[in-house]
């Protein structure tokens, strides 16, 4: 007689708790993370237990944070206006208003610098972190936007956030409104006395020796440097004992391609030139919009001057050699940047 299969005892209550078609789940002390389910003909496998979820930090209230930011900006703007109305702000002896320049003028120029001309800056670390320095750059573009873009480049990209004090021509300070804005932005008359005072005070000074010959040259002579004058900027740097930093700007030549000059009208208006471009005066005020060219501003290695004796500033041969060295370095960098750029607009 065959042995009988032993069936474990099961009462009615335990059968009632079972679900049809499913094996009985363990209960009691064996249940939990270490519990295993026993299936007919299968090996014992651990039952996966989900890990407890970490407590999440409450998300910040973004609308409230944004509202607080707007309130701070509004409060700052109102405080700025109050100081303007009451006259509780400072300007230096040249009329430079640092607060107005940082909060208003730079903010107005920055979209043109970042979005329109998409200026790329190279070698800004060549400008000293402190002390005076003379930046010498090429000049072009029919309107002097290159000087303003260079000012934004120094202010926004230099590690020390330095301010560039530009030397401007007499005409700038003869024009209404422009005269006042130029003074507030830190520009001063292009004379040796003012430049030397700024340099001795530890300021970064910018000069464009080509002057009107540079910005008013025809499009056919683009990126060909004009004369750098008699080297007065070199004499000023030697007297102040500050380094000369050559600067090359590519992209400004094409914003207003000058194909002609209305000389008669220029004489009547007392202007150095009246440009004729592919869009001006044919399109009227719309023709005054600059073309959205892609710019590159590169600051070259500084040329030291502190090693020269005091009487070196009176040596015409030395001034000629240093002027030629600065000019050649700027011209060489211009050619190099022109070879590297992919397109006028991209």
């Amino acid at each position: 007689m065959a042995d009988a299969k032993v069936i474990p005892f099961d009462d009615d209550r335990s059968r009632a708790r079972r679900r049809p078609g499913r094996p009985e789940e363990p209960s009691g002390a064996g249940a939990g993370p270490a519990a295993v389910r026993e299936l007919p003909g299968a090996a014992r496998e651990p039952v996966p237990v989900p890990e407890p979820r970490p407590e999440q930090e409450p998300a910040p209230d973004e609308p409230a944070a944004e509202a607080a930011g707007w309130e701070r900006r509004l409060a700052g703007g109102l405080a700025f206006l109050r100081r303007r109305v009451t006259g509780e702000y400072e300007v230096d002896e040249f009329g430079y208003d640092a607060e107005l320049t940082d909060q208003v003028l730079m903010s107005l120029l920055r979209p043109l610098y970042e979005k329109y001309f998409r200026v790329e800056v190279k070698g800004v670390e060549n400008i000293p972190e402190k002390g005076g320095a003379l930046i010498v750059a090429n000049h072009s573009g029919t309107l002097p936007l290159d000087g303003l873009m260079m000012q934004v480049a120094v202010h926004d990209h230099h590690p020390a956030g330095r301010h560039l004090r530009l030397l401007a021509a007499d005409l700038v300070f003869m024009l209404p409104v422009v005269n006042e804005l130029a003074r507030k932005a830190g520009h001063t008359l292009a004379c040796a006395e003012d430049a030397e005072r700024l340099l001795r005070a530890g300021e970064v000074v910018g000069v464009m020796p080509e002057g009107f010959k540079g910005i008013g040259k025809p499009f056919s002579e683009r990126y060909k440097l004009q004369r750098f004058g008699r080297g007065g900027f070199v004499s000023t740097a030697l007297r102040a004992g500050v380094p000369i930093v050559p600067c090359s700007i590519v992209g400004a030549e094409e914003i207003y391609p000058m194909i002609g000059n209305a000389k008669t009208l220029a004489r009547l208006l007392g202007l150095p030139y009246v440009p004729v471009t592919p869009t001006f005066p044919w399109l009227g005020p719309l023709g005054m919009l600059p073309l959205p060219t892609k710019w590159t501003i590169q600051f070259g290695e500084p040329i030291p001057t502190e090693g020269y004796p005091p009487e070196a500033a009176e040596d015409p041969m030395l001034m000629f050699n240093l002027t030629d060295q600065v000019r050649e370095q700027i011209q060489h960098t211009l050619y190099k940047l022109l070879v590297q750029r992919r397109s006028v607009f991209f």
Side-chain angles (χ1 to χ4, degrees):
M1 183 177 181
D3 294 334
K5 186 175 182 180
V6 179
I7 299 177
F9 172 78
D10 195 350
D11 60 13
D12 294 337
R13 286 177 298 177
S14 63
R15 278 196 301 268
R17 287 196 299 267
R18 296 181 187 173
R19 293 182 183 178
R22 294 186 59 184
E24 181 180 3
E25 296 185 1
S27 61
V36 296
R37 111 179 12 167
E38 188 174 347
L39 297 176
R44 293 188 176 185
E45 295 181 358
V47 178
V49 178
E51 297 181 359
R53 295 181 179 178
E55 295 184 2
Q56 297 182 354
E57 297 181 359
D61 190 353
E62 294 183 1
E66 186 176 354
W70 276 106
E71 289 177 2
R72 286 193 298 270
R73 286 192 287 270
L74 179 61
L78 292 175
F80 173 80
L81 291 176
R82 181 185 59 79
R83 290 191 294 272
R84 296 286 116 186
V85 173
T86 59
E88 297 177 2
Y89 60 91
E90 296 181 357
V91 297
D92 68 5
E93 57 182 312
F94 297 97
Y96 172 52
D97 189 335
E99 183 185 45
L100 181 70
T101 300
D102 289 346
Q103 297 192 20
V104 179
L105 300 181
M106 287 292 111
S107 298
L108 294 175
L109 291 172
R110 201 165 284 120
L112 190 67
Y113 174 93
E114 295 178 350
K115 306 298 183 183
Y116 199 78
F117 294 135
R118 295 147 292 148
V119 181
E120 179 183 359
V121 180
K122 300 179 179 180
V124 72
E125 66 278 0
N126 289 319
I127 303 173
E129 290 193 5
K130 59 182 179 179
L134 182 64
I135 298 178
V136 183
N138 60 305
H139 208 13
S140 62
T142 304
L143 291 181
L145 295 179
D146 50 0
L148 299 177
M149 296 300 102
M150 185 169 64
Q151 190 174 7
V152 179
V154 174
H155 180 273
D156 286 3
H157 293 275
H158 193 275
R162 305 205 64 179
H163 294 84
L164 179 64
R165 308 291 294 270
L166 287 170
L167 303 180
D170 299 359
L171 179 61
V172 172
F173 300 101
M174 295 169 58
L175 299 173
V177 181
V178 174
N179 169 29
E180 189 67 21
L181 288 176
R183 288 287 185 187
K184 295 288 187 183
H187 306 172
T188 190
L189 192 64
C191 64
E193 292 78 13
D194 286 357
E196 187 173 347
R197 285 166 62 194
L198 285 169
L199 290 171
R200 289 188 182 278
E203 299 286 351
V204 178
V205 178
V207 62
M208 295 172 162
E210 292 177 280
F212 290 119
K213 300 187 300 293
I215 59 175
K217 64 178 178 287
F219 187 66
S220 59
E221 297 180 13
R222 60 192 179 279
Y223 298 114
K224 295 178 182 178
L225 295 183
Q226 306 298 301
R227 285 188 65 249
F228 267 23
R230 300 176 181 178
F233 67 91
V234 171
S235 175
T236 302
L238 287 170
R239 287 192 178 94
V242 300
I244 300 173
V245 181
C247 177
S248 303
I249 304 173
V250 165
E253 292 276 15
E254 294 89 358
I255 60 173
Y256 296 111
M258 187 169 167
I259 57 177
N261 180 13
K263 295 182 180 179
T264 303
L265 183 59
R267 283 195 297 269
L268 292 174
L269 297 176
L271 299 174
Y273 56 87
V274 172
V276 177
T277 73
T279 58
F280 183 82
W282 326 113
L283 299 182
L286 187 63
M288 298 180 66
L289 288 175
L291 296 178
T293 58
K294 176 74 171 62
W295 286 34
T296 301
I297 299 178
Q298 179 162 338
F299 299 95
E301 294 185 5
I303 300 172
T305 63
E306 66 273 8
Y308 294 96
E311 61 272 14
E314 308 299 331
D315 185 347
M317 183 59 73
L318 176 62
M319 284 194 295
F320 174 81
N321 290 336
L322 285 176
T323 301
D324 192 57
Q325 180 183 352
V326 174
R327 187 179 181 278
E328 286 300 317
Q329 187 168 337
I330 294 174
Q331 184 70 81
H332 176 74
T333 305
L334 285 175
Y335 287 148
K336 189 168 108 176
L337 292 174
L338 288 171
V339 170
Q340 291 175 351
R341 78 171 176 176
R342 298 174 299 170
S343 165
V344 174
F345 299 102
F346 303 102

